[in-house]
């Protein structure tokens, strides 16, 4: 799986064994001495032999009244934010993930929540890791999105050791891995009682932090902690601003749009396995949360969630919250939720169909999307090629720049790649018309 570029680094394969996860030269977590080879093929979320998202969700949410091709099975869908306390101000989006996790703890439905919080910078450069929070204080201190490699093996081992009921927060492939682990281990099946999913565009490598630091003129060693999305109610929510805290007490900050690799869609530092993902909205999670990337919400710097409640129990908690005025959520339909993730879904469905036709070595991924080379315009095909190229080369050019002590090598390459990508993607001018003129018949992107 690692050699085939299908390892997301979730750590499911080393949980419960003597193996461990370590960063590779590109700042991605990979298994060392992965244990449990006998069950590995059924545990890995990208394994072609593992149950897929439809099978897992079908078994878990068989009675769900609604089913949608893009967002999966569900009880109800909502848009809005937390109205009480400072969940919204402290969260990356509308604060719903932390609110729901806190509610599970307060109602004593769980004893602990496995989620991702800041750690002291590790010698290998990591700034975040999974941990189990058992109090509201711990939970709140872990709010916010971390576009940073993290892995589950430590918390899975802790859950096996410590009896209790747990919730796990994670991106879609991690939640899938949790369900695959639960299917092979009755202890985990009994103890992990809720899964809280985060919508996902893709997973970044550790190098993105270092690149941001380089571009802000500070060495990585000077950074003690970071916020990928500093919240500012006076600016649109989708104007991400990265914020670094420095060892000397100072700070450095920059808007993602001014960083050479800050266009999320271009795919800089994307984990290669994400090229073969077809789940944007955590279809196997009991409840899933994302950002409402449509107007007027995208322009509201306070942050707004979209929520997909798949489990009736968690949907009841959401409904209680609305009735008590603690949540400012309105019901929406699946089309609305899908529209908030239009770009991600297009990349993971029609883009994936095209990527599945590319020649590749090693294990062939098996996805819910059928390979399709024909149903795309020339421009869309070039965009998918370009994104894959940027993802592939960003790891390697950064490695070379790091190795030779020449940050400018990477930054110059990234700026050039970004210019080309943006010309291809957004150009309505001559370049765009030229490509479209060459275009094959097919849907527009
Ligand atoms: C890698 C990644 C990609 C994402 N891509 C998209 C996207 O394309 N579209 C979209 O709408 N939303 C995406 N999200 C989700 C979005 O960033 C918000 O996390 C989500 O809207 C919830 O916001 P909130 O304010 O409700 O959460 P908060 O109240 O801020 O709580 C966030 C919770 O998630 C936990 N957490 C943070 N990072 C991770 C992580 N990497 N793994 C597991 N748990 C974590 C925190 O510990 C905390 O408990 C992504 C998140 C991640 C981590």
């Amino acid at each position: 799986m690692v050699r085939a570029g299908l390892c997301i680094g979730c750590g499911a394969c080393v949980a419960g064994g003597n193996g461990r996860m370590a960063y590779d030269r590109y700042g991605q977590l990979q298994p060392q001495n992965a244990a449990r080879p006998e069950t590995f093929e059924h545990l890995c979320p990208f394994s072609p032999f593992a149950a897929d998202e439809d099978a897992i969700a079908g078994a878990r949410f068989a009675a769900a009244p609604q089913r949608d091709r893009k967002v999966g099975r569900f009880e109800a869908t909502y848009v809005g934010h937390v109205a009480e306390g400072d969940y919204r101000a402290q969260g990356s989006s509308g604060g719903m993930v932390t609110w729901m996790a806190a509610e599970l703890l307060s109602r004593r439905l769980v004893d602990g929540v496995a989620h991702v919080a800041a750690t002291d910078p590790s010698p290998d450069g990591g700034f975040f890791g999974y941990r189990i929070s058992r109090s509201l204080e711990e939970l709140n201190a872990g709010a916010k999105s971390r576009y940073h490699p993290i892995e589950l093996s430590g918390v899975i081992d802790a859950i096996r050791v410590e009896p209790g009921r747990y919730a796990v927060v994670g991106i879609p492939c991690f939640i899938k891995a949790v369900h695959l682990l639960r299917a092979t281990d009755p202890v985990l099946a009994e103890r992990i009682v809720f899964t809280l999913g985060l919508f996902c565009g893709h997973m970044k490598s550790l190098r993105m932090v270092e690149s941001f630091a380089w571009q802000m003129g500070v060495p990585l060693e000077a950074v003690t902690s970071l916020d990928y999305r500093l919240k500012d109610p006076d600016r649109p929510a989708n104007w991400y601003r990265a914020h670094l805290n420095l060892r000397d007490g100072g700070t450095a900050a920059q808007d993602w749009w001014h960083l050479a690799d800050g266009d999320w869609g271009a795919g800089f530092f994307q984990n290669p396995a994400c090229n073969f993902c077809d789940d944007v909205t955590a279809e196997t999670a009991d409840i899933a949360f994302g950002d409402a990337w449509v107007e007027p919400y995208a322009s509201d710097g306070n942050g707004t969630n979209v929520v997909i409640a798949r489990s009736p129990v968690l949907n009841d908690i959401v409904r209680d919250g609305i009735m008590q005025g603690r949540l400012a959520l309105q019901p929406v339909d699946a089309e609305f939720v899908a529209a908030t993730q239009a770009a991600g879904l297009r990349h993971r469905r029609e883009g994936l169909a095209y990527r599945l036709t590319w020649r590749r070595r090693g294990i062939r991924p098996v996805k819910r999307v059928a390979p399709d080379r024909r149903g795309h315009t020339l421009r869309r095909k070039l965009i998918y090629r370009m994104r894959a190229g940027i993802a592939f080369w960003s790891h390697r050019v950064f490695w070379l720049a790091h190795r030779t002590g020449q940050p400018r090598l990477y930054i110059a390459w990234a700026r050039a790649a970004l210019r080309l990508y943006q010309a291809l993607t957004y150009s309505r001018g001559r370049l765009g018309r030229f490509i479209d003129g060459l275009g094959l018949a097919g849907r527009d992107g």
Side-chain angles (χ1 to χ4, degrees):
M1 294 301 283
V2 172
R3 270 201 307 274
L6 292 173
C7 173
I8 190 66
C10 67
C13 59
V14 305
N18 296 322
R20 64 185 187 93
M21 300 297 288
Y23 289 109
D24 69 3
R25 62 160 74 161
Y26 303 136
Q28 291 169 149
L29 286 165
Q30 309 264 274
Q32 315 289 309
N33 306 324
R36 316 180 71 189
E38 71 290 355
T39 49
F40 166 75
E41 60 191 26
H42 301 293
L43 281 184
C44 172
F46 284 87
S47 163
F49 307 106
D52 72 12
E53 288 79 354
D54 283 346
I56 298 170
R60 293 183 60 71
F61 314 121
Q66 306 202 58
R67 189 175 176 187
D68 178 83
R69 209 169 46 82
K70 293 179 178 159
V71 307
R73 293 173 186 259
F74 63 94
E75 294 284 322
T77 45
Y78 305 91
V79 65
H81 56 86
V82 182
E84 68 174 333
D86 56 2
Y87 289 102
R88 190 185 194 191
Q90 299 300 323
S92 278
S93 179
M96 278 298 299
V97 177
T98 305
W99 184 89
M100 177 53 79
E103 204 61 16
L104 294 177
L105 276 177
S106 310
R107 292 177 182 229
R108 301 195 189 288
L109 292 171
V110 298
D111 304 297
V113 177
H115 67 142
V116 172
T119 57
D120 288 335
S122 67
D124 45 14
F127 288 89
F128 300 98
Y130 261 99
R131 73 157 184 225
I132 296 180
S133 287
R134 294 175 185 276
S135 69
L136 296 185
E137 293 69 37
E138 281 181 302
L139 192 63
N140 292 336
K144 292 232 154 183
S145 303
R146 277 72 199 244
Y147 309 119
H148 183 283
I150 31 82
E151 57 95 8
L152 284 163
S153 65
V155 289
I156 294 294
D157 289 347
I159 291 171
R160 274 206 189 96
V161 169
E162 181 89 18
R165 288 157 307 154
Y166 296 89
V168 179
V169 181
I171 56 174
C173 50
F174 279 49
I175 298 294
K176 180 181 177 187
V178 167
H179 291 306
L180 296 174
L181 282 162
R182 291 175 76 253
T184 63
D185 184 333
V187 173
L188 293 177
E190 188 190 310
R191 294 183 185 170
I192 300 178
V193 289
F194 293 110
T195 48
L196 277 52
L198 304 175
F199 292 10
C200 187
H202 58 257
M203 183 55 124
K204 300 285 189 187
S205 85
L206 192 57
R207 301 294 176 243
M208 196 167 76
V209 185
E210 191 168 357
S211 169
F212 283 8
W214 278 357
Q215 294 175 71
M216 292 184 213
V218 288
L220 186 67
E221 305 72 55
V223 179
T224 53
S225 61
L226 75 142
D227 185 347
Y228 286 95
R229 289 169 61 175
L230 191 69
K231 198 163 242 186
D232 182 349
D234 296 328
R235 290 162 38 120
N238 52 5
W239 289 12
Y240 286 10
R241 186 167 176 80
H243 185 266
L244 311 180
N245 293 311
L246 307 178
R247 218 164 274 287
D248 64 6
T251 59
Q254 184 54 281
D255 296 340
W256 282 45
W257 279 104
H258 292 133
L259 296 164
D261 35 23
D263 182 331
W264 184 279
F268 287 93
F269 301 118
Q270 180 206 281
N271 185 298
C274 303
N275 279 329
F276 297 99
C277 164
D278 55 19
D279 181 3
V280 174
T281 61
E283 293 178 39
T284 68
D286 294 315
I287 188 161
F289 306 89
D291 284 282
W293 292 140
V294 288
E295 296 302 345
Y297 307 105
S299 289
D300 182 348
N302 292 296
T304 309
N305 285 117
V306 276
V307 181
I308 306 176
R310 308 188 194 279
S311 127
V313 177
L314 298 193
N315 191 37
D316 285 348
I317 294 178
V318 170
R319 282 169 34 184
D320 283 356
I322 296 171
M323 266 161 22
Q324 294 158 3
R326 300 163 64 207
L327 298 178
L329 292 181
Q330 279 108 46
V332 288
D333 60 17
E335 268 313 301
F336 178 93
V337 177
T340 68
Q341 308 298 316
L345 282 162
R346 190 163 53 228
H347 189 69
R348 300 303 176 78
R349 299 293 167 90
E350 107 184 9
L352 174 59
Y354 179 50
R355 286 190 292 282
L356 287 170
T357 66
W358 298 355
R359 278 165 67 97
R360 49 180 284 109
R361 289 208 204 108
I363 299 170
R364 289 200 75 75
V366 174
K367 306 311 301 180
R368 296 174 294 165
V369 171
D372 173 19
R373 177 188 304 278
R374 294 172 190 279
H376 323 275
T377 60
L378 176 63
R379 194 203 287 235
R380 289 306 312 172
K381 286 183 179 178
L382 290 173
I383 290 170
Y384 297 134
R385 290 271 179 194
M386 181 96 204
R387 283 180 185 156
I390 288 177
F392 181 87
W393 285 108
S394 56
H395 300 298
R396 287 155 180 83
V397 179
F398 189 94
W399 174 80
L400 187 65
H402 185 95
R403 209 35 210 271
T404 56
Q406 298 287 332
R408 267 186 287 173
L409 174 69
Y410 167 77
I411 295 167
W413 171 84
R415 288 207 185 285
L418 181 70
R419 263 200 300 277
L420 190 57
Y421 170 78
Q422 292 186 331
L424 188 59
T425 308
Y426 308 120
S427 171
R428 300 273 171 261
R430 263 200 300 181
L431 175 67
R433 284 200 300 275
F434 174 69
I435 297 166
D436 291 340
L438 290 175
L440 308 169
R443 280 168 286 152
D444 195 8

